Each structure stands twice: as structure tokens, then as C-alpha cells.
Amino acid sequence: MGDLLSHLIDRYRLARPYRRIAEKVFSGERLSFQEGVALYQCPDVSFLGALANYVRERLHGDYAYFNRNFHIEPTNICVFDCAFCAFARRPGQEGAWEYTLEEIEQIVRRYAEAPVTEVHIVGGVHPKRGVEYYGEMLRRIKAIRPDLHIKAFTAVEIAVMAARSRMSIREALQYLRACGLDSLPGGGAEIFHPEVRAQICDSKATAEQWLHIHRTAHELGIPSNCTMLYGHLEAYEHRVDHLERLRALQDETGGFQAFIPLKFKRENNRMSHLREVPMLEDLKNYAVCRLYLDNMPHLKAYWPMIGRQTAQLSLSFGVDDVDGTIDDTTRIYAMAGGEEHPAMSTAELIGLIRGAGRIPVERDSLYRVRRIYNEHPPTEPIDLPMLA
Ligand code: SF4
């Protein structure tokens, strides 16, 4: 450790504040708010990468995780109108959809024999559907695939469905869990700071509500993920404020499994006048998040949003997870300019990870290892079967 730290200090000719940050990272000391901002201001992305990679390898060695999953987006009809959103539609508007429960069942039946382990369910905040409706959806999915892990509903969806059903957040989560909910995804967090939140999503769940819902889930033993939408109107201070609040909740509950930075995409939304940040900013952001969130087990790069090459590079900037196969089942990022038909076979995901010099590890939704692909070449067939 000492050698590596000395090498970093020599190699990067570190100014005193960055030298102090490097020393703290190497000794496992927590970074302050000001140090978080200083890291974002650091012009040397390779230094940030080296430091974040040190932490990543301390936690996970060369392992890089993925799973086999698919998405269901039950509706894109939404009562809100977030400025960055390309996905939402009003009832009756062109491009709107709302699946019936029977259509949801049909989607799940397509995967009845497929070796997927997780379904990820998020969608618009529908004006009429309450907790009972979504509970029935979960029950029907479990009836078809009892073994499937259901990761479903952002805190924003839960806030509205609970209010519609006149339930407290705790009651709603308990009800959904009894119907089959296994974990929560991390969406809806965007940027917590009210200066930014007021401009990009002023009417939906506040930061305090989002954090309350995840805290309650953790208290009930429901794990969750967390996210940050970056690269739009926010300043570095807003990002660090966001990370600070997540770090504090994780100290309290330990219920977050992974943090997923989500890049702002500019197509087909009310913020199309903004430029998207360049890839170097993506890599810097991954590195700073890895360094600041010292209590977060996993840092995930969501490849349909940033692209395969950036996802591959991110594995050297603190990231240890590249999400899953997805099988062309999400439209959220495609509608905003992300990958048009996001799907990777298991072989492709393994190739992506190996191409970055890491060891692919197939995990389940709770990060339990299913298989380590450390043989060359793999000895078993690894592609998902073709789906009708
Ligand atoms: S981001 Fe979510 S809550 Fe906001 S408009 Fe889009 S679908 Fe609705």
C-alpha cells in the first residue's frame, strides 16, 4: 500500500490537498464534503481513476459482476412532467402504453424457461393504479416464475400508489412485499438538492420523501439501490450533497446494495438545449462516486445508457458491476437517445468484462455469486436461448 501511495504521489506530482486525499483513501478515512468537491475539480482524470481503482480492487479484486435480467415497463403514462424525461406520456397521447395484467403475464411467460434470475419493473406514475393493482401484478408474476427476484417500483411510484390506496409508506411496502416484492430499484432520486430539483422535477417526491421510502424499506428488510442523474444543470456541490445524503442513510441502515450514476441524455425532452457531458466526465464521476461512497458495496455502470465502450472503461474507474443482459426490454433510455435495442447475450457481457482485464462473475440480485467465469474459454454453453 505504501509503495502504491508513494508511486501515486510521485507519478502525479500531487498538490497538497490531493496528496492528503490520497493518504485518506489509502488509510480508509472518510472524505469530507470539500474533498468531494475538490475531487470533482481535479483536472487529472487518470489520477482519479488510479485512486478509485485502488478502492475498487480493495473491495472486489478483479471481479466484475453481472446478472441475467429483463425489464417490464408497465406503462409510460405519468402524472408528472419531469424536464429531463423522454419516456412519459399523457393518457391518450401518441406513443402512450399501459399493459394489462394479462399482457404482463404474457411477457413473463416468454421467460418461463429462460435462465434469467431477475425482473426489473419501473414505469410512469399512473393516475389510477394503486398498491392493490401492483400487488396483484407481483402475485401473477410469482405464480409464473416463483424463483424470479422482483426488483420493482421507484420511490416516486410508491409514494403516489400508497397515497392513492390511503396507506402509509410502511403499509404499502409491507403489502407489496407480501405479494412478492423482493427489492427496490434506485430510480427517482435525480438530484436531491432543492435548487436543482425545483428545475428538473419540481412536483414529484422530494429528497426527504425518497430517502424516507428507502429508509422504511431497509427497516423492513427490503434492500434497494440508489441513483443520481448527473450532467445537466447541477454543479459539483449538488452532486456531493447528493452523495452525502446517500452515504448518511447507508450509515444508518446499510440497506443499499449498489449506487448507479445515471447520465442525462438530451433527446426528446425539455432539456434538449443542454449538451451531454463527455465520456471523460462520466469516468470522473464514477471515480469520485467510488471514493466518496465509502460504505456502498457496489458501483454499477448501466451500459444501455452510457454505451458498451464507456461501461468497459468504467471498470478501471471504480465500477465493479455492469448490470445485466436486459434483452431489449427497456425503452426508457432508448427514448432519450441511449442504445436503441439494449440487449447483450451472456457471452457478450463476459467478453466486455474480459476485454477490460476483469473476471466476469454472474451474480443474483443480492450479489450472491452464481458462477465465476475464470476459465478460458468457458466450458459450458452460456448464451440465453432464443426467445419467441
Ligand atoms: S421521470 Fe418518471 S416521474 Fe418523471 S415524468 Fe418521467 S416517468 Fe414520470
PDB file of all heavy atoms in Angstrom, residues 289-308:
ATOM      1  N   CYS A 289     -17.536   9.074  -7.244  1.00  0.00           N
ATOM      2  CA  CYS A 289     -18.588   8.369  -6.502  1.00  0.00           C
ATOM      3  C   CYS A 289     -17.994   7.183  -5.733  1.00  0.00           C
ATOM      4  O   CYS A 289     -18.355   6.934  -4.584  1.00  0.00           O
ATOM      5  CB  CYS A 289     -19.678   7.890  -7.451  1.00  0.00           C
ATOM      6  SG  CYS A 289     -20.628   9.239  -8.181  1.00  0.00           S
ATOM      7  N   ARG A 290     -17.093   6.435  -6.384  1.00  0.00           N
ATOM      8  CA  ARG A 290     -16.470   5.292  -5.704  1.00  0.00           C
ATOM      9  C   ARG A 290     -15.690   5.757  -4.466  1.00  0.00           C
ATOM     10  O   ARG A 290     -15.699   5.109  -3.417  1.00  0.00           O
ATOM     11  CB  ARG A 290     -15.552   4.537  -6.668  1.00  0.00           C
ATOM     12  CG  ARG A 290     -14.830   3.326  -6.135  1.00  0.00           C
ATOM     13  CD  ARG A 290     -15.733   2.188  -5.667  1.00  0.00           C
ATOM     14  NE  ARG A 290     -16.341   2.451  -4.348  1.00  0.00           N
ATOM     15  CZ  ARG A 290     -17.328   1.733  -3.813  1.00  0.00           C
ATOM     16  NH1 ARG A 290     -17.844   0.720  -4.437  1.00  0.00           N
ATOM     17  NH2 ARG A 290     -17.812   2.040  -2.623  1.00  0.00           N
ATOM     18  N   LEU A 291     -15.018   6.893  -4.604  1.00  0.00           N
ATOM     19  CA  LEU A 291     -14.190   7.379  -3.499  1.00  0.00           C
ATOM     20  C   LEU A 291     -15.045   7.952  -2.373  1.00  0.00           C
ATOM     21  O   LEU A 291     -14.738   7.781  -1.197  1.00  0.00           O
ATOM     22  CB  LEU A 291     -13.208   8.429  -4.017  1.00  0.00           C
ATOM     23  CG  LEU A 291     -12.160   7.883  -4.996  1.00  0.00           C
ATOM     24  CD1 LEU A 291     -11.425   9.023  -5.688  1.00  0.00           C
ATOM     25  CD2 LEU A 291     -11.172   6.974  -4.259  1.00  0.00           C
ATOM     26  N   TYR A 292     -16.111   8.629  -2.734  1.00  0.00           N
ATOM     27  CA  TYR A 292     -16.905   9.324  -1.704  1.00  0.00           C
ATOM     28  C   TYR A 292     -17.824   8.355  -0.957  1.00  0.00           C
ATOM     29  O   TYR A 292     -17.998   8.464   0.254  1.00  0.00           O
ATOM     30  CB  TYR A 292     -17.736  10.445  -2.346  1.00  0.00           C
ATOM     31  CG  TYR A 292     -18.132  11.495  -1.341  1.00  0.00           C
ATOM     32  CD1 TYR A 292     -17.219  12.466  -0.926  1.00  0.00           C
ATOM     33  CD2 TYR A 292     -19.390  11.495  -0.764  1.00  0.00           C
ATOM     34  CE1 TYR A 292     -17.550  13.407   0.024  1.00  0.00           C
ATOM     35  CE2 TYR A 292     -19.737  12.446   0.180  1.00  0.00           C
ATOM     36  CZ  TYR A 292     -18.814  13.401   0.572  1.00  0.00           C
ATOM     37  OH  TYR A 292     -19.145  14.333   1.517  1.00  0.00           O
ATOM     38  N   LEU A 293     -18.414   7.414  -1.698  1.00  0.00           N
ATOM     39  CA  LEU A 293     -19.371   6.479  -1.080  1.00  0.00           C
ATOM     40  C   LEU A 293     -18.608   5.290  -0.500  1.00  0.00           C
ATOM     41  O   LEU A 293     -18.653   4.182  -1.022  1.00  0.00           O
ATOM     42  CB  LEU A 293     -20.404   6.032  -2.114  1.00  0.00           C
ATOM     43  CG  LEU A 293     -21.326   7.133  -2.637  1.00  0.00           C
ATOM     44  CD1 LEU A 293     -22.211   6.608  -3.764  1.00  0.00           C
ATOM     45  CD2 LEU A 293     -22.182   7.718  -1.515  1.00  0.00           C
ATOM     46  N   ASP A 294     -17.932   5.564   0.616  1.00  0.00           N
ATOM     47  CA  ASP A 294     -17.047   4.545   1.187  1.00  0.00           C
ATOM     48  C   ASP A 294     -17.806   3.394   1.839  1.00  0.00           C
ATOM     49  O   ASP A 294     -17.204   2.398   2.229  1.00  0.00           O
ATOM     50  CB  ASP A 294     -16.088   5.196   2.192  1.00  0.00           C
ATOM     51  CG  ASP A 294     -16.831   5.967   3.280  1.00  0.00           C
ATOM     52  OD1 ASP A 294     -18.074   5.897   3.326  1.00  0.00           O
ATOM     53  OD2 ASP A 294     -16.155   6.639   4.084  1.00  0.00           O
ATOM     54  N   ASN A 295     -19.121   3.536   1.979  1.00  0.00           N
ATOM     55  CA  ASN A 295     -19.910   2.477   2.607  1.00  0.00           C
ATOM     56  C   ASN A 295     -20.843   1.786   1.609  1.00  0.00           C
ATOM     57  O   ASN A 295     -21.749   1.072   2.006  1.00  0.00           O
ATOM     58  CB  ASN A 295     -20.715   3.039   3.784  1.00  0.00           C
ATOM     59  CG  ASN A 295     -21.554   4.239   3.365  1.00  0.00           C
ATOM     60  OD1 ASN A 295     -21.605   4.582   2.177  1.00  0.00           O
ATOM     61  ND2 ASN A 295     -22.218   4.874   4.320  1.00  0.00           N
ATOM     62  N   MET A 296     -20.652   2.045   0.325  1.00  0.00           N
ATOM     63  CA  MET A 296     -21.530   1.460  -0.701  1.00  0.00           C
ATOM     64  C   MET A 296     -20.831   0.220  -1.265  1.00  0.00           C
ATOM     65  O   MET A 296     -19.728   0.325  -1.809  1.00  0.00           O
ATOM     66  CB  MET A 296     -21.746   2.498  -1.809  1.00  0.00           C
ATOM     67  CG  MET A 296     -22.900   2.200  -2.727  1.00  0.00           C
ATOM     68  SD  MET A 296     -24.525   2.209  -1.929  1.00  0.00           S
ATOM     69  CE  MET A 296     -24.699   3.944  -1.469  1.00  0.00           C
ATOM     70  N   PRO A 297     -21.465  -0.947  -1.151  1.00  0.00           N
ATOM     71  CA  PRO A 297     -20.753  -2.150  -1.604  1.00  0.00           C
ATOM     72  C   PRO A 297     -20.416  -2.133  -3.091  1.00  0.00           C
ATOM     73  O   PRO A 297     -19.317  -2.510  -3.477  1.00  0.00           O
ATOM     74  CB  PRO A 297     -21.734  -3.292  -1.286  1.00  0.00           C
ATOM     75  CG  PRO A 297     -22.726  -2.743  -0.333  1.00  0.00           C
ATOM     76  CD  PRO A 297     -22.758  -1.266  -0.536  1.00  0.00           C
ATOM     77  N   HIS A 298     -21.367  -1.706  -3.936  1.00  0.00           N
ATOM     78  CA  HIS A 298     -21.157  -1.851  -5.381  1.00  0.00           C
ATOM     79  C   HIS A 298     -21.430  -0.548  -6.122  1.00  0.00           C
ATOM     80  O   HIS A 298     -22.325   0.221  -5.750  1.00  0.00           O
ATOM     81  CB  HIS A 298     -22.054  -2.954  -5.936  1.00  0.00           C
ATOM     82  CG  HIS A 298     -21.750  -4.297  -5.353  1.00  0.00           C
ATOM     83  ND1 HIS A 298     -20.696  -5.080  -5.785  1.00  0.00           N
ATOM     84  CD2 HIS A 298     -22.330  -4.977  -4.321  1.00  0.00           C
ATOM     85  CE1 HIS A 298     -20.656  -6.191  -5.061  1.00  0.00           C
ATOM     86  NE2 HIS A 298     -21.625  -6.149  -4.167  1.00  0.00           N
ATOM     87  N   LEU A 299     -20.644  -0.334  -7.170  1.00  0.00           N
ATOM     88  CA  LEU A 299     -20.852   0.805  -8.080  1.00  0.00           C
ATOM     89  C   LEU A 299     -21.138   0.227  -9.458  1.00  0.00           C
ATOM     90  O   LEU A 299     -20.329  -0.534 -10.002  1.00  0.00           O
ATOM     91  CB  LEU A 299     -19.604   1.685  -8.120  1.00  0.00           C
ATOM     92  CG  LEU A 299     -19.657   2.893  -9.057  1.00  0.00           C
ATOM     93  CD1 LEU A 299     -20.727   3.884  -8.621  1.00  0.00           C
ATOM     94  CD2 LEU A 299     -18.297   3.607  -9.092  1.00  0.00           C
ATOM     95  N   LYS A 300     -22.287   0.594  -9.984  1.00  0.00           N
ATOM     96  CA  LYS A 300     -22.745  -0.038 -11.224  1.00  0.00           C
ATOM     97  C   LYS A 300     -22.732   0.952 -12.388  1.00  0.00           C
ATOM     98  O   LYS A 300     -23.161   2.100 -12.250  1.00  0.00           O
ATOM     99  CB  LYS A 300     -24.176  -0.550 -11.009  1.00  0.00           C
ATOM    100  CG  LYS A 300     -24.726  -1.325 -12.187  1.00  0.00           C
ATOM    101  CD  LYS A 300     -26.209  -1.617 -12.051  1.00  0.00           C
ATOM    102  CE  LYS A 300     -26.524  -2.642 -11.009  1.00  0.00           C
ATOM    103  NZ  LYS A 300     -27.941  -3.109 -11.116  1.00  0.00           N
ATOM    104  N   ALA A 301     -22.271   0.466 -13.554  1.00  0.00           N
ATOM    105  CA  ALA A 301     -22.388   1.228 -14.800  1.00  0.00           C
ATOM    106  C   ALA A 301     -23.536   0.625 -15.601  1.00  0.00           C
ATOM    107  O   ALA A 301     -23.525  -0.578 -15.880  1.00  0.00           O
ATOM    108  CB  ALA A 301     -21.095   1.132 -15.602  1.00  0.00           C
ATOM    109  N   TYR A 302     -24.505   1.451 -15.911  1.00  0.00           N
ATOM    110  CA  TYR A 302     -25.688   0.965 -16.628  1.00  0.00           C
ATOM    111  C   TYR A 302     -25.408   1.112 -18.119  1.00  0.00           C
ATOM    112  O   TYR A 302     -25.533   2.185 -18.689  1.00  0.00           O
ATOM    113  CB  TYR A 302     -26.904   1.787 -16.186  1.00  0.00           C
ATOM    114  CG  TYR A 302     -28.211   1.275 -16.703  1.00  0.00           C
ATOM    115  CD1 TYR A 302     -28.606  -0.047 -16.478  1.00  0.00           C
ATOM    116  CD2 TYR A 302     -29.063   2.097 -17.412  1.00  0.00           C
ATOM    117  CE1 TYR A 302     -29.804  -0.517 -16.959  1.00  0.00           C
ATOM    118  CE2 TYR A 302     -30.269   1.636 -17.899  1.00  0.00           C
ATOM    119  CZ  TYR A 302     -30.630   0.328 -17.668  1.00  0.00           C
ATOM    120  OH  TYR A 302     -31.820  -0.136 -18.160  1.00  0.00           O
ATOM    121  N   TRP A 303     -25.032   0.013 -18.774  1.00  0.00           N
ATOM    122  CA  TRP A 303     -24.472   0.101 -20.121  1.00  0.00           C
ATOM    123  C   TRP A 303     -25.462   0.608 -21.186  1.00  0.00           C
ATOM    124  O   TRP A 303     -25.014   1.258 -22.149  1.00  0.00           O
ATOM    125  CB  TRP A 303     -23.820  -1.229 -20.528  1.00  0.00           C
ATOM    126  CG  TRP A 303     -24.733  -2.416 -20.604  1.00  0.00           C
ATOM    127  CD1 TRP A 303     -24.928  -3.359 -19.641  1.00  0.00           C
ATOM    128  CD2 TRP A 303     -25.582  -2.783 -21.687  1.00  0.00           C
ATOM    129  NE1 TRP A 303     -25.841  -4.288 -20.051  1.00  0.00           N
ATOM    130  CE2 TRP A 303     -26.266  -3.959 -21.315  1.00  0.00           C
ATOM    131  CE3 TRP A 303     -25.850  -2.237 -22.953  1.00  0.00           C
ATOM    132  CZ2 TRP A 303     -27.190  -4.591 -22.138  1.00  0.00           C
ATOM    133  CZ3 TRP A 303     -26.766  -2.868 -23.781  1.00  0.00           C
ATOM    134  CH2 TRP A 303     -27.427  -4.028 -23.369  1.00  0.00           C
ATOM    135  N   PRO A 304     -26.794   0.349 -21.097  1.00  0.00           N
ATOM    136  CA  PRO A 304     -27.661   0.888 -22.155  1.00  0.00           C
ATOM    137  C   PRO A 304     -27.632   2.415 -22.218  1.00  0.00           C
ATOM    138  O   PRO A 304     -27.964   3.002 -23.240  1.00  0.00           O
ATOM    139  CB  PRO A 304     -29.061   0.400 -21.763  1.00  0.00           C
ATOM    140  CG  PRO A 304     -28.827  -0.769 -20.882  1.00  0.00           C
ATOM    141  CD  PRO A 304     -27.562  -0.458 -20.135  1.00  0.00           C
ATOM    142  N   MET A 305     -27.234   3.044 -21.137  1.00  0.00           N
ATOM    143  CA  MET A 305     -27.251   4.500 -21.083  1.00  0.00           C
ATOM    144  C   MET A 305     -25.920   5.105 -21.511  1.00  0.00           C
ATOM    145  O   MET A 305     -25.888   6.077 -22.265  1.00  0.00           O
ATOM    146  CB  MET A 305     -27.578   4.918 -19.653  1.00  0.00           C
ATOM    147  CG  MET A 305     -27.551   6.361 -19.372  1.00  0.00           C
ATOM    148  SD  MET A 305     -27.415   6.584 -17.609  1.00  0.00           S
ATOM    149  CE  MET A 305     -25.937   5.713 -17.259  1.00  0.00           C
ATOM    150  N   ILE A 306     -24.830   4.539 -21.069  1.00  0.00           N
ATOM    151  CA  ILE A 306     -23.525   5.146 -21.386  1.00  0.00           C
ATOM    152  C   ILE A 306     -22.843   4.487 -22.570  1.00  0.00           C
ATOM    153  O   ILE A 306     -21.844   4.993 -23.080  1.00  0.00           O
ATOM    154  CB  ILE A 306     -22.552   5.108 -20.180  1.00  0.00           C
ATOM    155  CG1 ILE A 306     -22.442   3.694 -19.626  1.00  0.00           C
ATOM    156  CG2 ILE A 306     -22.938   6.098 -19.120  1.00  0.00           C
ATOM    157  CD1 ILE A 306     -21.273   3.516 -18.695  1.00  0.00           C
ATOM    158  N   GLY A 307     -23.374   3.347 -23.023  1.00  0.00           N
ATOM    159  CA  GLY A 307     -22.747   2.633 -24.139  1.00  0.00           C
ATOM    160  C   GLY A 307     -21.764   1.596 -23.630  1.00  0.00           C
ATOM    161  O   GLY A 307     -21.278   1.659 -22.502  1.00  0.00           O
ATOM    162  N   ARG A 308     -21.482   0.640 -24.499  1.00  0.00           N
ATOM    163  CA  ARG A 308     -20.672  -0.509 -24.080  1.00  0.00           C
ATOM    164  C   ARG A 308     -19.221  -0.135 -23.826  1.00  0.00           C
ATOM    165  O   ARG A 308     -18.582  -0.632 -22.914  1.00  0.00           O
ATOM    166  CB  ARG A 308     -20.757  -1.601 -25.143  1.00  0.00           C
ATOM    167  CG  ARG A 308     -22.182  -2.085 -25.313  1.00  0.00           C
ATOM    168  CD  ARG A 308     -22.394  -2.896 -26.559  1.00  0.00           C
ATOM    169  NE  ARG A 308     -23.828  -2.993 -26.813  1.00  0.00           N
ATOM    170  CZ  ARG A 308     -24.476  -4.110 -27.133  1.00  0.00           C
ATOM    171  NH1 ARG A 308     -23.815  -5.227 -27.271  1.00  0.00           N
ATOM    172  NH2 ARG A 308     -25.771  -4.096 -27.334  1.00  0.00           N
TER     173      ARG A 308
END
